[in-house]
Amino acid sequence: MASINLHFFPILLFLISISSSTATNAASSTTRDLPTTFGEAPAFRNGVGCSASSKIHIAMTLDTTYLRGSVAGVLSALQHATCPENLVFHFLASSPRRSDLRRTVLTSFPNLSFLIHRFDASLVRGMISASVRRALDQPLNYARIYLADLLPRSVRRIIYFDSDLIVVDDVAKLWRIDLGPHVLGAPEYCHANFTSYFTDRFWSDARFARAFEGGPRRRSPCYFNTGVMVIDLERWREGRFTERLEEWMRVRKRVRIYDLGSLPPFLLVFAGKVKGVDHRWNQHGLGGDNVEGLCRDLHPGPVSLLHWSGKGKPWLRLDARRACPLDSLWAPYDLYRSSVRIPQLLLR
């Protein structure tokens, strides 16, 4: 067994103390002054043939917990866009420190077109039920339900992205998909065991199961991940879909019909009525399951978007030096500047 060289022991203690102090100061600095912890991205300019009027609207949540992921997601979208200056970001934030979050975005992307929309967490606090993972119970996780209310009516279509993904293709391709008569478009996964997203209590009660017109077979619903969606906001408003989702959340407060955060209400309202999008636009599950967060591989086929849905987030695993192989694909988009360096033990 290797042992520490005693000759270097005083030096080692000094390095560890410096590291501990630096870590404390860095954490404190992050809390007080978010903008200083992120570097500035390169300036991205439109290519030939880009029309300034052809805007692409993208919505993401913005908070201190997932800020690092959000910044990486924005950088990836800009870097791979043919017309990056046409991207308009709509950030949904409930934090009282929205001014700090704004400065962070401006520091990293001085030329970015973006708006920060305040999401009132009290809208959903009384409707949220405990799920399999605490992060899924945060009010901001439900902000996507209120996009049609929070965004200006001049925004007729939106791409919604979670804050734990990167885009490796031109997002304009996703923006241009034809929704047809549908309100929502997303990659669907019809091989998944759809019934597992709801409890036995749900399926045994005809009042609930009737949501799928007598069961999952008749409506032919498929699982879809709500971290990547293209939404027609005009049709959403006309169909009062926010109210429909809220109603299922209220039902869940009374009866335990599901256990997976904000996803099941979307499945109840939209599954079987979604415009299918190519699977390349949501290689999800890279964060592993919601309990262990184990490493996973890519699904077969081409990739336009990598999504670390699940418990394991790439920035946390990289910092802990327990990275999964695919986390290295996220790392190049990380603009976080950490002054914390853990000294290597001097062994003989």
Side-chain angles (χ1 to χ4, degrees):
M1 178 178 178
S3 60
I4 297 176
N5 187 335
L6 295 180
H7 177 73
F8 294 106
F9 192 67
I11 299 175
L12 177 60
L13 290 177
F14 173 75
L15 290 173
I16 291 175
S17 67
I18 291 295
S19 174
S20 176
S21 174
T22 304
T24 301
N25 291 337
S28 177
S29 174
T30 300
T31 302
R32 293 195 306 267
D33 194 10
L34 290 172
T36 64
T37 62
F38 289 86
E40 181 178 334
F44 296 97
R45 303 302 181 191
N46 281 354
V48 177
C50 293
S51 170
S53 62
S54 301
K55 301 299 183 184
I56 296 174
H57 295 272
I58 300 172
M60 302 177 73
T61 57
L62 195 65
D63 68 350
T64 54
T65 303
Y66 282 84
L67 180 58
R68 195 166 164 186
S70 298
V71 170
V74 172
L75 175 57
S76 70
L78 292 170
Q79 183 168 320
H80 294 280
T82 302
C83 304
E85 293 178 277
N86 289 2
L87 304 189
V88 180
F89 285 85
H90 297 265
F91 296 113
L92 314 179
S94 58
S95 170
R97 300 181 61 215
R98 287 186 297 278
S99 59
D100 289 340
L101 293 170
R102 179 184 297 277
R103 282 198 299 273
T104 299
V105 175
L106 284 172
T107 298
S108 296
F109 308 103
N111 302 308
L112 186 70
S113 296
F114 74 95
L115 295 168
I116 295 183
H117 306 275
R118 178 181 177 273
F119 172 65
D120 184 359
S122 66
L123 286 173
V124 293
R125 276 207 181 95
M127 294 183 284
I128 295 176
S129 302
S131 64
V132 295
R133 187 160 58 92
R134 186 176 179 181
L136 300 178
D137 301 339
Q138 302 307 308
L140 197 58
N141 193 46
Y142 292 80
R144 70 197 80 188
I145 293 174
Y146 298 90
L147 284 167
D149 301 323
L150 296 171
L151 273 56
R153 288 191 171 264
S154 58
V155 180
R156 299 180 177 181
R157 171 182 284 218
I158 194 75
I159 295 174
Y160 176 82
F161 281 154
D162 269 351
S163 296
D164 53 1
L165 58 78
I166 57 170
V167 181
V168 292
D169 201 348
D170 189 351
V171 74
K173 298 176 183 177
L174 179 62
W175 176 260
R176 290 196 296 262
I177 67 165
D178 182 8
L179 288 178
H182 300 91
V183 175
L184 184 152
E188 291 185 294
Y189 302 88
C190 297
H191 62 277
N193 181 6
F194 184 85
T195 60
S196 66
Y197 294 97
F198 303 93
T199 64
D200 291 340
R201 174 67 185 274
F202 175 88
W203 293 113
S204 64
D205 192 322
R207 295 173 302 166
F208 303 139
R210 194 177 298 121
F212 299 110
E213 299 178 356
R217 293 182 180 178
R218 199 172 294 183
R219 183 165 135 184
S220 298
C222 297
Y223 164 79
F224 68 95
N225 181 279
T226 56
V228 178
M229 299 183 289
V230 183
I231 301 172
D232 185 320
L233 293 176
E234 289 188 315
R235 287 180 180 150
W236 182 290
R237 295 182 184 108
E238 292 170 359
R240 304 177 69 86
F241 284 98
T242 296
E243 289 87 343
R244 298 189 194 186
L245 291 162
E246 286 180 331
E247 181 54 35
W248 280 113
M249 292 169 64
R250 293 189 184 95
V251 170
R252 173 60 179 86
K253 289 294 289 186
R254 300 192 301 267
V255 185
R256 182 176 165 270
I257 59 174
Y258 59 79
D259 292 313
L260 203 58
S262 63
L263 170 64
F266 271 90
L267 296 178
L268 285 161
V269 173
F270 290 107
K273 302 176 182 179
V274 171
K275 170 66 177 180
V277 176
D278 194 300
H279 289 176
R280 68 188 303 152
W281 283 104
N282 195 353
Q283 285 270 346
H284 68 284
L286 303 186
D289 58 62
N290 283 304
V291 179
E292 299 293 337
L294 302 175
C295 296
R296 289 187 178 177
D297 295 326
L298 289 175
H299 312 300
V303 180
S304 292
L305 184 149
L306 297 101
H307 185 188
W308 277 261
S309 57
K311 181 180 180 180
K313 302 307 174 188
W315 56 92
L316 297 178
R317 295 194 295 218
L318 286 164
D319 287 354
R321 296 183 180 176
R322 294 196 298 269
C324 291
L326 290 177
D327 294 343
S328 63
L329 300 177
W330 181 90
Y333 302 97
D334 185 14
L335 288 177
Y336 181 70
R337 300 183 305 190
S338 175
S339 59
V340 180
R341 293 292 182 269
I342 304 301
Q344 294 183 353
L345 294 178
L346 301 173
L347 304 177
R348 75 177 176 188

